[in-house]
Amino acid sequence: MAGNPAYASAVHEAVWRIRATIPADLGERFARESGITREDFVSCGPARCGEICAIDGSNVMLMESGSMALTVARAAQTTFIDMKRSRRSITPLKLALIGPEAENTDFAEVYAECFGQPPGTPLANDDRPKAAGILRDTLEYWVTEQMAALLDPHALLLRDGPLRVSHASHDPVLARIELACRDRDIDLAGVSKRTTATWGGGHPLLPSVFGLAQALEIPSPWWIRIDPAVLDHAQFPRWQHGQMYVGSLHPLARNPLKIDLLRDLPDGKVGQIMDRLAACSADGRIPGYPYPLFDAHRTVVLTEEMVKNVRSDLLAGISRSGIDRQTYDILFGDYHDEFARY
């Protein structure tokens, strides 16, 4: 495509649209817009990790056709005491059909199995990736609620993702988890590697905070509270269970993290939690990322070999059910696989 003027123009336009959201003086602009100064950045100090439990989930789309799709999901927890793993568990694989009905029937069954009652709001099948993610989230919240009841007081419970739900049926579950953590003196945190949060009409939050910290020569590890009024869009408040912070948790951290903590925590308590997060984020492979969450990810991830085996079992079951290969190919076959051969 080199030498094609239209292609070169399209690449140039895309690059400069991205560049417009991340100008060279991004940190300085963010300082002017937000009013954040050096005094707003708080340094993390050494701390005893204590008991830390991390929750993560994984899902993969196994088959797709024009009318339906099949997804598989699971969740896991790994618990550490002073950075030595004390226990680990994984949910069974859950297979769920997305379609052809307008509402997802498997979601209601999985939800009732996890929480002992039907969901208050059904799950639509119109957005397949979103539906698959909500099915996975259901398992994650199930494991999180279990661990909130099992951990010792003063433990730190970490979720891979925000303290915010994306489906109404999960809101009462997260509310129960929050109440259990407050009652049992367990610290709850949501850690996100990425965020859709922007300010100033589209400037991304994480590189803006990180750029400002570099401009002010703030040494990592540090954390800072983010005032929601600075952001372009406020999240639906009923589904938002956390206060947003940004933290860089290790001197060699390549990326800052968005960290959600329960609302109304005093700064002293926030500082204690951030110190513990920094203390467990010193693994040399990914400095600046809490190792328990990394371990939970490695535990739960659905590997290519596992997915291949599940697909093979499904294909064998479909064959035994009386569906012939030609019908299967019409339903689930992908011409792109054939295109790739030529």
Side-chain angles (χ1 to χ4, degrees), residues 18 38 57 61 72 121 169 254 263 266 306:
I18 294 172
R38 172 182 290 273
M61 205 70 78
V72 60
T121 303
S169 64
R254 293 182 298 175
R263 288 171 290 195
M306 291 177 62

Side-chain angles (χ1 to χ4, degrees), residues 21 26-28 30-31 41 199 203-213:
T21 69
L26 181 63
E28 290 82 353
F30 183 60
F41 288 86
W199 63 275
H203 299 301
L205 177 65
L206 292 183
S208 300
V209 177
F210 198 66
L212 177 55

Side-chain angles (χ1 to χ4, degrees), residues 9 22 34 60 89 107 112 116 134 162 165 196 199 204 220-221 251 277 291 307:
S9 176
I22 314 174
S34 66
V60 172
S89 60
F107 171 67
I134 290 170
V165 303
T196 59
W199 63 275
S220 294
L277 286 173
Y291 180 78
V307 172

Side-chain angles (χ1 to χ4, degrees), residues 72-76 89-95 113 139 142-143 302:
V72 60
R74 66 177 182 174
S89 60
I90 311 174
T91 68
L93 292 174
K94 291 291 183 181
L95 276 69
E113 181 181 343
L139 298 177
W142 177 41
V143 175
L302 293 164

Side-chain angles (χ1 to χ4, degrees), residues 153-167:
H154 311 301
L156 176 57
L157 182 55
L158 302 180
R159 178 177 189 266
D160 181 32
L163 297 185
R164 183 189 72 248
V165 303
S166 54
H167 192 264

